[in-house]
Amino acid sequence: MNGPKTGQLSLFDIKDNTKTPAEEWSEDGAKHALDELFNATYAYRDSREYMKLMRFVSRFTFYSPYNAMLIRLQRPGARFVATPTRWKRDYDRYVKPNANPIVILQPMGPVMFVFDVSDTEPGPDASPIPIDIDRPFEPQRGIIGDELKMTIESAKRDGIRIHRRETGSQYAGSIQAVSKPHLPKLKFYIGKDKGGIPRYKKIPVQYELLFSKKLSPEARYTTLVHELAHLYCGHLGTPNKKWWPDRLGLSHAEAEFEAESVTYLVCARVGIENPSAAYLSGYVKTNEKLPKISLECVMKAAGLIENMGKERMKPRKD
C-alpha cells in the first residue's frame, strides 16, 4: 500500500541537534511502561517471536489487542481467560488454589485479574467446555460486515474526510493532513435530543483519506485500517497529544511496519485475510531483527480502530 504523506516535517528538515517528535515520545519512558518492558527484555525484538505475538493477539478476540498482548506476555500458552466470577457463573468452574492470576486492564478502571482455563477445575454441574473456549484459535471465516460503514462514520469525529476515486492498479490508498482545517465541516452524529431528533457536531476537515474505487469492500476496509493506523500511531503528528501521540520523524520502514502490524491484527480479528500477513511474514524471512517500533502504539491503535467498527464513538473532548 502507498505510504502516507507525513505533513511538512521530514528527517531532512530537522537539524542535527534537534530531536524529532518521535524521538521525544520514545524517550518519555514514564508514559510508556509497556515499551520500556519490551526494550529491557528484548522479548519481541526477534522477528519470529514478534510474529508469534501477532498471531496470538489476532486470534484472542475476547479481549482488546492491548489486553491480549498482556495475556501473551504473562502466559504465552493461555487458551481462554476469564474472571473467577465469570468462570463460576457461566461455566460452573472454580479457580484452583494457588493459581497465578493474569493482570489485564479493566475498562473504566485500573486492573482486573483473570485466570486461564488450565487454572480452573469443574464444579458438580459443569458442562463440557464450549469449542470456542477450548479451541479459541480456530480460523475465522466470513466477509466484512458493518465494520466498514461504522469505521467511516467514526472517523468523522477526528476530522477525517474519506473519498473513493479512480486510480491505477498499483494504488490502494493514502492519508495526509490538510494544511489548514477547512470547510465543508463533517457532520458527526452525537445522539438524539429529548424529542428524538438526531443531533450532530460539525467538525473541520483535518485529514484527507483516499482509496481506490476498484477495491472490494474487504480491500477497502483493509486499506482504511492501514491508513488510519498511520494516523493513530502518530506518524502524521497529532492535533492533541491526549488523543494520540505525535511521532513525526519515524523512518518509512518503521512507520510501514507499525501500520502493517495494526492492519494485520484488526483484519485478522474479524476474519479478513489481507496482504499485511504476507508483508510481515516476508519481513520475518529476510530480517532477524525488527525495526525500532512501539508495540504500545500498535496495540492501542489496533484497539481504537477495532472499536470504531463496532460502536458509535463519542465526540473528542477539546
Side-chain angles (χ1 to χ4, degrees), residues 108-129:
M108 307 302 293
V111 298
M112 60 190 297
F113 300 98
V114 293
F115 295 84
D116 183 52
V117 62
S118 62
D119 287 326
T120 68
E121 52 191 4
D125 300 320
S127 56
I129 298 176

Side-chain angles (χ1 to χ4, degrees), residues 29-205:
K31 295 182 180 178
H32 320 302
L34 193 57
D35 281 332
E36 283 271 297
L37 174 62
F38 284 118
N39 289 335
T41 63
Y42 291 86
Y44 295 103
R45 292 283 185 86
D46 181 277
S47 59
R48 289 175 176 80
E49 288 300 315
Y50 183 80
M51 278 305 299
K52 291 179 182 178
L53 171 67
M54 292 292 103
R55 293 190 182 101
F56 183 95
V57 174
S58 70
R59 296 165 179 166
F60 222 96
T61 58
F62 190 80
Y63 293 99
S64 71
Y66 198 94
N67 274 338
M69 180 173 63
L70 293 180
I71 292 169
R72 165 75 181 182
L73 176 64
Q74 298 169 77
R75 194 74 58 84
R79 292 184 294 160
F80 184 85
V81 300
T83 62
T85 299
R86 185 166 181 246
W87 278 125
K88 179 180 179 181
R89 181 192 67 217
D90 295 348
Y91 306 107
D92 192 37
R93 299 186 69 90
Y94 299 83
V95 175
K96 297 176 181 178
N98 300 321
N100 292 320
I102 302 170
V103 183
I104 63 175
L105 300 182
Q106 181 177 2
M108 307 302 293
V111 298
M112 60 190 297
F113 300 98
V114 293
F115 295 84
D116 183 52
V117 62
S118 62
D119 287 326
T120 68
E121 52 191 4
D125 300 320
S127 56
I129 298 176
I131 189 171
D132 62 331
I133 296 178
D134 195 36
R135 299 169 65 192
F137 291 176
E138 286 296 303
Q140 300 182 44
R141 295 291 183 267
I143 59 176
I144 197 65
D146 293 336
E147 292 89 352
L148 176 59
K149 181 179 179 180
M150 287 287 291
T151 304
I152 291 174
E153 184 64 29
S154 295
K156 293 179 181 179
R157 74 167 181 161
D158 291 323
I160 305 168
R161 184 166 61 173
I162 298 174
H163 306 269
R164 295 173 61 192
R165 72 178 187 185
E166 295 289 345
T167 64
S169 61
Q170 300 304 307
Y171 179 94
S174 64
I175 187 172
Q176 62 182 10
V178 300
S179 56
K180 293 182 180 179
H182 60 79
L183 299 175
K185 292 186 177 182
L186 303 172
K187 291 175 61 178
F188 178 64
Y189 177 82
I190 59 174
K192 296 181 180 180
D193 61 19
K194 295 181 179 180
I197 305 299
R199 299 170 57 237
Y200 296 89
K201 180 178 181 179
K202 292 185 177 181
I203 299 176
V205 174

